[in-house]
PDB file of all heavy atoms in Angstrom:
ATOM      1  N   THR A1664       3.307  35.445 -61.246  1.00 97.00           N
ATOM      2  CA  THR A1664       3.164  34.151 -60.574  1.00 97.00           C
ATOM      3  C   THR A1664       4.327  33.981 -59.595  1.00 97.00           C
ATOM      4  O   THR A1664       5.481  34.273 -59.925  1.00 97.00           O
ATOM      5  CB  THR A1664       3.176  33.002 -61.595  1.00 97.00           C
ATOM      6  OG1 THR A1664       2.062  33.159 -62.486  1.00 97.00           O
ATOM      7  CG2 THR A1664       3.064  31.651 -60.899  1.00 97.00           C
ATOM      8  N   TRP A1665       3.977  33.473 -58.421  1.00 98.00           N
ATOM      9  CA  TRP A1665       4.968  33.329 -57.344  1.00 98.00           C
ATOM     10  C   TRP A1665       5.000  31.878 -56.874  1.00 98.00           C
ATOM     11  O   TRP A1665       3.961  31.259 -56.676  1.00 98.00           O
ATOM     12  CB  TRP A1665       4.611  34.225 -56.160  1.00 98.00           C
ATOM     13  CG  TRP A1665       4.582  35.689 -56.484  1.00 98.00           C
ATOM     14  CD1 TRP A1665       3.665  36.354 -57.242  1.00 98.00           C
ATOM     15  CD2 TRP A1665       5.534  36.664 -56.057  1.00 98.00           C
ATOM     16  NE1 TRP A1665       3.955  37.685 -57.318  1.00 98.00           N
ATOM     17  CE2 TRP A1665       5.108  37.917 -56.600  1.00 98.00           C
ATOM     18  CE3 TRP A1665       6.682  36.634 -55.288  1.00 98.00           C
ATOM     19  CZ2 TRP A1665       5.798  39.104 -56.375  1.00 98.00           C
ATOM     20  CZ3 TRP A1665       7.376  37.813 -55.052  1.00 98.00           C
ATOM     21  CH2 TRP A1665       6.938  39.028 -55.603  1.00 98.00           C
ATOM     22  N   GLN A1666       6.211  31.377 -56.662  1.00 97.00           N
ATOM     23  CA  GLN A1666       6.418  30.015 -56.147  1.00 97.00           C
ATOM     24  C   GLN A1666       6.661  30.085 -54.642  1.00 97.00           C
ATOM     25  O   GLN A1666       7.480  30.884 -54.162  1.00 97.00           O
ATOM     26  CB  GLN A1666       7.618  29.352 -56.820  1.00 97.00           C
ATOM     27  CG  GLN A1666       7.899  27.926 -56.348  1.00 97.00           C
ATOM     28  CD  GLN A1666       6.895  26.921 -56.875  1.00 97.00           C
ATOM     29  OE1 GLN A1666       6.612  26.891 -58.069  1.00 97.00           O
ATOM     30  NE2 GLN A1666       6.343  26.102 -55.981  1.00 97.00           N
ATOM     31  N   LEU A1667       5.915  29.239 -53.893  1.00 97.00           N
ATOM     32  CA  LEU A1667       6.151  29.141 -52.447  1.00 97.00           C
ATOM     33  C   LEU A1667       7.337  28.208 -52.207  1.00 97.00           C
ATOM     34  O   LEU A1667       7.331  27.057 -52.652  1.00 97.00           O
ATOM     35  CB  LEU A1667       4.925  28.566 -51.723  1.00 97.00           C
ATOM     36  CG  LEU A1667       3.733  29.485 -51.473  1.00 97.00           C
ATOM     37  CD1 LEU A1667       2.930  29.703 -52.747  1.00 97.00           C
ATOM     38  CD2 LEU A1667       2.838  28.889 -50.381  1.00 97.00           C
ATOM     39  N   THR A1668       8.356  28.713 -51.519  1.00 97.00           N
ATOM     40  CA  THR A1668       9.467  27.864 -51.122  1.00 97.00           C
ATOM     41  C   THR A1668       9.633  27.980 -49.604  1.00 97.00           C
ATOM     42  O   THR A1668       8.949  28.770 -48.949  1.00 97.00           O
ATOM     43  CB  THR A1668      10.776  28.268 -51.822  1.00 97.00           C
ATOM     44  OG1 THR A1668      11.303  29.452 -51.207  1.00 97.00           O
ATOM     45  CG2 THR A1668      10.549  28.508 -53.313  1.00 97.00           C
ATOM     46  N   GLU A1669      10.553  27.205 -49.064  1.00 97.00           N
ATOM     47  CA  GLU A1669      10.765  27.225 -47.612  1.00 97.00           C
ATOM     48  C   GLU A1669      11.539  28.445 -47.158  1.00 97.00           C
ATOM     49  O   GLU A1669      11.618  28.723 -45.960  1.00 97.00           O
ATOM     50  CB  GLU A1669      11.485  25.949 -47.166  1.00 97.00           C
ATOM     51  CG  GLU A1669      10.781  24.663 -47.553  1.00 97.00           C
ATOM     52  CD  GLU A1669       9.308  24.646 -47.180  1.00 97.00           C
ATOM     53  OE1 GLU A1669       8.956  25.108 -46.071  1.00 97.00           O
ATOM     54  OE2 GLU A1669       8.501  24.175 -48.002  1.00 97.00           O
ATOM     55  N   THR A1670      12.117  29.195 -48.100  1.00 97.00           N
ATOM     56  CA  THR A1670      12.898  30.373 -47.723  1.00 97.00           C
ATOM     57  C   THR A1670      12.294  31.679 -48.212  1.00 97.00           C
ATOM     58  O   THR A1670      12.593  32.739 -47.662  1.00 97.00           O
ATOM     59  CB  THR A1670      14.332  30.266 -48.277  1.00 97.00           C
ATOM     60  OG1 THR A1670      14.267  30.089 -49.703  1.00 97.00           O
ATOM     61  CG2 THR A1670      15.058  29.084 -47.654  1.00 97.00           C
ATOM     62  N   ALA A1671      11.427  31.629 -49.246  1.00 98.00           N
ATOM     63  CA  ALA A1671      10.908  32.877 -49.806  1.00 98.00           C
ATOM     64  C   ALA A1671       9.768  32.594 -50.768  1.00 98.00           C
ATOM     65  O   ALA A1671       9.588  31.467 -51.246  1.00 98.00           O
ATOM     66  CB  ALA A1671      12.021  33.631 -50.549  1.00 98.00           C
ATOM     67  N   LEU A1672       8.995  33.653 -51.056  1.00 98.00           N
ATOM     68  CA  LEU A1672       8.125  33.681 -52.224  1.00 98.00           C
ATOM     69  C   LEU A1672       8.984  34.170 -53.396  1.00 98.00           C
ATOM     70  O   LEU A1672       9.647  35.226 -53.294  1.00 98.00           O
ATOM     71  CB  LEU A1672       6.968  34.652 -52.018  1.00 98.00           C
ATOM     72  CG  LEU A1672       5.757  34.192 -51.209  1.00 98.00           C
ATOM     73  CD1 LEU A1672       4.787  35.360 -51.034  1.00 98.00           C
ATOM     74  CD2 LEU A1672       5.065  33.018 -51.871  1.00 98.00           C
ATOM     75  N   VAL A1673       8.969  33.438 -54.494  1.00 98.00           N
ATOM     76  CA  VAL A1673       9.841  33.764 -55.620  1.00 98.00           C
ATOM     77  C   VAL A1673       8.977  34.043 -56.844  1.00 98.00           C
ATOM     78  O   VAL A1673       8.237  33.168 -57.315  1.00 98.00           O
ATOM     79  CB  VAL A1673      10.828  32.620 -55.917  1.00 98.00           C
ATOM     80  CG1 VAL A1673      11.758  33.015 -57.063  1.00 98.00           C
ATOM     81  CG2 VAL A1673      11.642  32.271 -54.661  1.00 98.00           C
ATOM     82  N   ALA A1674       9.066  35.279 -57.362  1.00 97.00           N
ATOM     83  CA  ALA A1674       8.263  35.690 -58.516  1.00 97.00           C
ATOM     84  C   ALA A1674       8.888  35.205 -59.815  1.00 97.00           C
ATOM     85  O   ALA A1674      10.092  34.909 -59.879  1.00 97.00           O
ATOM     86  CB  ALA A1674       8.115  37.202 -58.546  1.00 97.00           C
ATOM     87  N   ASP A1675       8.068  35.148 -60.858  1.00 96.00           N
ATOM     88  CA  ASP A1675       8.566  34.689 -62.153  1.00 96.00           C
ATOM     89  C   ASP A1675       9.573  35.657 -62.753  1.00 96.00           C
ATOM     90  O   ASP A1675      10.291  35.311 -63.697  1.00 96.00           O
ATOM     91  CB  ASP A1675       7.410  34.429 -63.124  1.00 96.00           C
ATOM     92  CG  ASP A1675       6.447  35.600 -63.232  1.00 96.00           C
ATOM     93  OD1 ASP A1675       6.807  36.730 -62.828  1.00 96.00           O
ATOM     94  OD2 ASP A1675       5.314  35.386 -63.715  1.00 96.00           O
TER      95      ASP A1675
END
Side-chain angles (χ1 to χ4, degrees):
T1664 298
W1665 299 71
Q1666 180 73 49
L1667 282 76
T1668 76
E1669 304 310 319
T1670 56
L1672 279 175
V1673 182
D1675 51 17

